[in-house]
Amino acid sequence: MVNPFWQRIKQVDWLVFAAIFFLVAMGLIIIYGISINPVTPDISLFRKQLVYVLVGFLVFFMLSNVNYRAWSVYSKVIYLFFFLLLLGVLFFGTTIRGTKGWISLGFMTLQPVEFAKIGLIIFLAKYFSDHGRHFFFWFYIIVSGVATGAYIALVLKQPDLGSAMVLLGTWFLMLLIIGVPRRHLMILVGGFLIVCVVAWALILKPYQKDRIMTFLNPQANTLGVGYNVRQSVISVGSGQVFGRGFGLGSQSQLKFLPAAETDFIFAVLAEEFGFLGVIFLFTGLLILIIRLIVIARQTSDNFVVFFCLGLASLLTVQIFINIGMNMGIAPVTGIPLPFISSGGSSLLSLFIAFGVISSVVADNRTLHAGNVV
């Protein structure tokens, strides 16, 4: 008899695996190129990212072997756990670059909000699957909004405007997908604009306001806040069609481009590998998003439908914000490019999410195969 574990592993979604492998390989190549720059060469960052990737694939295969229905059953517990974690980080967290959003484990630091994004999607997927047909009533929209808003409030307190935008954007896209009446959406947009005005006056920090003003007028302060955006736009444009070549990007190699391995890694990709490299990046990301939509269409489990669409929404929002700020068409908010940017928390959280997706595919394939022995 075939070992059930290996039988299930054979049924994982290998298309998702291949797309993720391609993206993380691309990210590792870019990070290695940045690490061997002639100004301050140091490959420790590359080594750390490689460890995260290996651990991530291990997590992916482990979760592929876990019944995905458990996430639905414990969705409220998962939501509460991450709520308490986001609350706890405000008191016991580590401050990095002005944001108190990390937990130090000694050998590494984790950013709870990256995992909380997946936790929120799990909660919303369960809530929408239970009450989706009732979303023409304001009560159910408000409940889902309050649940999302609680996370957003804690994240803004860190402060982390970028992650708050991702949480809000993911929730709103899921409402669009579920088919909330247009009148309700217009009222929500109006309420959002009012909140933006209040946040500008009472909540946003001066540096966050500067970033937004730089987005609206990039030329206003090219030596201050606008410097990052200007260097990023120069990097993207200089790559042209085929790029300058691996490790030959002047902006990143000579340290003109800040946060090249995280926030502005797309600019490095565009500079060194050109428009052709960008096409390969978009292809890998699109495969993941399209695959999520296909799985959602093929399943009869409403929780899986909304989890897939929620994860697709999360990826879409993060991709748009990250690439947008690299090209000067979105405010700089410190959002990583999925599977590409350096950082363990974002990478591991996505591996967890896609491990759940792979579990769905494995479960369906095992069922259809009739548990072949």
Side-chain angles (χ1 to χ4, degrees):
M1 181 179 295
V2 178
N3 186 301
F5 175 81
W6 291 111
Q7 178 64 31
R8 191 173 177 86
I9 288 295
K10 288 166 59 179
Q11 304 295 342
V12 301
D13 194 326
W14 291 105
L15 179 59
V16 166
F17 172 86
I20 292 176
F21 185 88
F22 172 76
L23 289 171
V24 295
M26 179 180 288
L28 286 171
I29 291 171
I30 298 171
I31 293 170
Y32 181 75
I34 296 172
S35 300
I36 59 174
N37 73 86
V39 180
T40 55
D42 181 10
I43 64 170
S44 61
L45 182 65
F46 168 78
R47 290 174 177 170
K48 183 182 295 186
Q49 187 71 4
L50 180 59
V51 171
Y52 287 141
V53 168
L54 295 176
V55 172
F57 276 118
L58 177 62
V59 170
F60 174 84
F61 283 114
M62 288 178 61
L63 292 181
S64 295
N65 200 51
V66 174
N67 191 323
Y68 71 86
R69 296 173 185 85
W71 304 96
S72 173
V73 171
Y74 295 105
S75 61
K76 293 180 181 178
V77 175
I78 292 170
Y79 176 88
L80 180 60
F81 172 78
F82 284 115
F83 177 85
L84 294 175
L85 194 59
L86 289 174
L87 182 62
V89 78
L90 296 177
F91 296 96
F92 309 108
T94 300
T95 301
I96 299 177
R97 295 189 295 274
T99 299
K100 195 172 185 180
W102 280 263
I103 293 178
S104 177
L105 302 179
F107 61 94
M108 66 179 297
T109 56
L110 290 177
Q111 192 175 10
V113 68
E114 295 297 337
F115 300 95
K117 292 173 185 176
I118 308 303
L120 180 64
I121 292 175
I122 291 173
F123 174 82
L124 291 178
K126 173 61 175 175
Y127 187 77
F128 287 174
S129 66
D130 289 342
H131 305 290
R133 67 185 63 183
H134 300 130
F135 263 68
F136 53 85
F137 291 121
W138 270 111
F139 173 79
Y140 297 99
I141 298 176
I142 292 173
V143 170
S144 67
V146 169
T148 305
Y151 273 24
I152 291 174
L154 292 176
V155 172
L156 284 175
K157 192 66 177 176
Q158 295 180 5
D160 184 351
L161 176 62
S163 293
M165 290 171 58
V166 170
L167 292 169
L168 179 63
T170 301
W171 172 68
F172 188 76
L173 281 182
M174 292 183 75
L175 287 182
L176 286 177
I177 292 168
I178 204 174
V180 171
R182 183 178 301 178
R183 183 184 40 153
H184 291 7
L185 290 175
M186 293 178 64
I187 294 174
L188 287 174
V189 171
F192 171 71
L193 294 176
I194 294 174
V195 170
C196 286
V197 173
V198 174
W200 180 272
L202 303 176
I203 299 176
L204 294 184
K205 304 294 183 181
Y207 76 90
Q208 293 173 326
K209 294 181 180 180
D210 288 343
R211 288 179 174 181
I212 294 174
M213 292 305 298
T214 299
F215 159 63
L216 297 175
N217 185 11
Q219 304 303 321
N221 189 5
T222 56
L223 296 179
V225 179
Y227 175 82
N228 295 7
V229 177
R230 179 175 175 80
Q231 296 302 320
S232 178
V233 172
I234 292 173
S235 298
V236 173
S238 65
Q240 299 185 26
V241 178
F242 299 106
R244 293 176 174 269
F246 170 69
L248 299 178
S250 59
Q251 299 299 112
S252 57
Q253 293 297 315
L254 298 179
K255 293 296 182 178
F256 291 116
L257 181 65
E261 70 283 353
T262 52
D263 299 352
F264 294 100
I265 198 167
F266 174 80
V268 181
L269 167 68
E271 183 181 28
E272 297 190 353
F273 299 100
F275 183 67
L276 188 62
V278 172
I279 290 177
F280 280 118
L281 169 68
F282 283 164
T283 300
L285 293 171
L286 277 174
I287 287 174
L288 289 180
I289 293 174
I290 292 173
R291 183 60 181 150
L292 288 170
I293 295 173
V294 169
I295 294 172
R297 290 173 61 90
Q298 291 178 341
T299 184
S300 58
D301 189 325
N302 286 336
F303 169 77
V304 175
V305 171
F306 288 112
F307 182 78
C308 287
L309 297 178
L311 184 55
S313 299
L314 174 70
L315 290 175
T316 301
V317 172
Q318 291 209 168
I319 292 167
F320 175 81
I321 294 177
N322 180 274
I323 295 180
M325 71 184 189
N326 274 253
M327 299 180 68
I329 59 175
V332 177
T333 54
I335 294 299
L337 185 58
F339 291 113
I340 303 294
S341 293
S342 172
S345 297
S346 175
L347 188 65
L348 292 177
S349 66
L350 289 174
F351 269 114
I352 290 172
F354 278 98
V356 176
I357 296 299
S358 186
S359 172
V360 172
V361 175
D363 188 78
N364 290 336
R365 289 177 177 174
T366 301
L367 180 64
H368 292 152
N371 295 320
V372 177
V373 295

